[in-house]
Amino acid sequence: MDRIDAMRLFVRLAERGSFSAAARDLRVTQSTASKWVAELERQLGTSLVDRTTRSLRLTEAGRRFSARAVEVLAGFDGICAELADGSAEPAGRVRASVPVVFGRRFIVPLVAGFLKRHPKVEVELVFNDRYVSLVEEGFDVAIRVGVPADTTARGRKLADSRRCLVAAPSYVRARGRPAAPEDLAEHDCLLHGEASAAAIWRFRRAGARDQPVPVRGRFAANNSEAVLEMARAGLGVALLADWLVAEDIERKRLVQLLEDHATPKAPVYALTPPGRYTAAPVRALLDHLATSLASRLGAG
């Protein structure tokens, strides 16, 4: 048994709470994972895990060992990275959580190019629009559009996405154009997010401060394409990414509103687990995304 491998397995076991999940992540059999932990316990002379048929819980010694092991592995991986040839090909597996629409339109094409350049890297993309728990769900990175809600994760800004206010011509004919942000109080707004959450849209004119505007409407969804469909149907005003509505504006299915008011950019972030050294394949992927997304979104 290699102690570094066993330590790495135990840290993943502490994160995942499951021998089968930890073994799968490290690509060993469940029996091997169990043997390694048992050998660690024998060498340390203490129990690290309380096992039952239905659950697994770290002992106090297990929690202490896991915390220190994270530090040791970070130092070990850091030294390896420093001493390794900078031209060495990154290798390994990256499990990433990505937003459904943005992921399909931007991340997938960029990952295709990345995999062609790095044949020793494997990438698993999991599509969802919720904020995942990186540690508990076993993700190496999460790509999110907007200010990160997880304050424990480490964040790296990859790019900015511009947004614009739009509505269908039929809606404008029926309800008129808002002349100022505060006029949105009299309009049906299509919300991207949970209906129960207070929606605040922000606008700014040149040389002025941000103007927060509370908005509400009869439709909300956590998927931007669903909001786009409702806007096309003439059911309200939507604040969406410019790359999502550009074709509709060009084809006159939508018109842009309040063009003299800027809206805050939506940052695109990569979130990685706290207190953990970022592995070479993850770093390589994030470097590739940072370079490519900024140019494709037309924002820095």
Side-chain angles (χ1 to χ4, degrees):
M1 178 193 73
D2 182 275
R3 290 192 181 186
I4 291 293
D5 288 343
M7 192 178 299
R8 206 179 297 279
L9 173 93
F10 188 80
V11 168
R12 188 52 64 98
L13 175 65
E15 293 173 347
R16 299 279 261 152
S18 162
F19 270 100
S20 60
R24 185 168 57 251
D25 289 350
L26 270 71
R27 300 191 170 190
V28 299
T29 65
Q30 186 170 339
S31 61
T32 296
S34 183
K35 289 178 182 177
W36 284 2
V37 172
E39 181 61 17
L40 279 176
E41 291 178 320
R42 187 192 67 77
Q43 292 178 356
L44 295 169
T46 186
S47 175
L48 300 175
V49 179
D50 286 332
R51 306 168 180 83
T52 69
T53 56
R54 294 187 177 181
S55 65
L56 178 150
R57 183 179 64 86
L58 297 188
T59 63
E60 175 59 27
R63 288 191 290 272
R64 289 170 56 196
F65 182 79
S66 175
R68 292 299 300 274
V70 168
E71 299 174 3
V72 170
L73 290 171
F76 177 79
D77 290 340
I79 292 171
C80 290
E82 290 174 10
L83 297 180
D85 180 1
S87 64
E89 176 66 28
R93 179 172 175 268
V94 181
R95 186 167 189 259
S97 169
V98 298
V100 176
V101 179
F102 186 84
R104 188 177 67 249
R105 293 200 178 197
F106 289 94
I107 303 301
V108 169
L110 295 180
V111 167
F114 173 79
L115 289 174
K116 290 177 182 178
R117 290 177 54 189
H118 300 286
K120 296 182 181 179
V121 177
E122 301 175 12
V123 175
E124 177 189 356
L125 297 182
V126 179
F127 292 83
N128 52 55
D129 288 324
R130 64 181 176 85
Y131 273 91
V132 298
S133 172
L134 294 168
V135 172
E136 293 180 5
E137 298 180 56
F139 286 104
D140 299 300
V141 63
I143 307 299
R144 285 295 174 262
V145 180
V147 178
D150 186 354
T151 57
T152 65
R154 291 183 296 162
R156 174 179 175 181
K157 186 177 176 181
L158 302 176
D160 277 312
S161 174
R162 295 186 177 93
R163 296 182 292 183
C164 58
L165 195 69
V166 296
S170 60
Y171 179 88
V172 173
R173 286 194 297 270
R175 301 290 295 275
R177 280 178 174 265
E182 54 267 26
D183 293 345
L184 291 173
E186 305 302 322
H187 285 267
D188 290 325
C189 295
L190 304 169
L191 309 180
H192 184 202
E194 297 181 3
S196 59
I200 303 291
W201 291 352
R202 298 181 182 276
F203 299 88
R204 177 190 298 172
R205 298 192 78 160
R209 292 183 178 181
D210 282 357
Q211 179 181 356
V213 178
V215 296
R216 57 193 181 92
R218 296 187 298 129
F219 180 81
N222 69 342
N223 179 275
S224 56
E225 285 186 329
V227 176
L228 175 61
E229 284 297 324
M230 294 299 165
R232 288 171 177 165
L235 292 172
V237 178
L239 183 62
L240 291 167
D242 61 354
W243 52 263
L244 185 61
V245 299
E247 182 179 347
D248 286 273
I249 293 174
E250 182 179 351
R251 297 190 178 188
K252 302 188 185 307
R253 291 191 293 251
L254 297 174
V255 296
Q256 193 168 350
L257 306 174
L258 297 179
E259 295 179 72
D260 56 342
H261 288 77
T263 58
K265 297 174 184 176
V268 181
Y269 273 94
L271 306 179
T272 52
R276 184 191 297 175
Y277 176 77
T278 303
V282 179
R283 290 200 314 275
L285 176 60
L286 297 190
D287 289 344
H288 177 74
L289 293 179
T291 301
S292 305
L293 278 176
S295 59
R296 291 198 64 182
L297 290 172

